[in-house]
Amino acid sequence: MLLPLGILLPLFFRKADIPKKIALIGFIVSLLIEITQLITTRGYFEIDDLFHNTLGAFLGAFIGCSAAKWIYSDGNGHQKK
């Protein structure tokens, strides 16, 4: 579910340039979703959802970070400012 988050974060925020950071953000977002489901009883709090959503954000981060490096580079491999 959080694969698009992993792709879009590095494209919109230059500080989100490391997949570990994006995986941590994905974990926190997934945890908030699961806690909301637990409190409102509109779903089930499941640990495997935390794992799968974090994994999706992490995999999306590889795509997003690669795309961000390509978009924000000047053609010689240097970052644009």
Side-chain angles (χ1 to χ4, degrees), residues 2-10 22 56-65:
L2 295 182
L3 182 90
L5 178 75
I7 293 171
L8 294 175
L9 272 178
I22 298 168
F58 188 66
L59 294 175
F62 283 110
I63 298 167
C65 288

Side-chain angles (χ1 to χ4, degrees), residues 4 15 17 21 23 25 30 63 70 78:
K15 293 211 181 238
D17 58 347
K21 287 182 189 178
I25 293 168
S30 181
I63 298 167
W70 180 71
H78 299 96

Side-chain angles (χ1 to χ4, degrees), residues 32-59:
L32 290 173
I33 291 169
E34 293 298 319
I35 288 172
T36 302
Q37 287 179 346
L38 180 67
I39 292 170
T40 62
T41 63
R42 300 288 295 170
Y44 296 107
F45 183 93
E46 296 182 352
I47 299 298
D48 63 332
D49 284 347
L50 284 172
F51 174 73
H52 291 125
N53 289 337
T54 303
L55 181 64
F58 188 66
L59 294 175

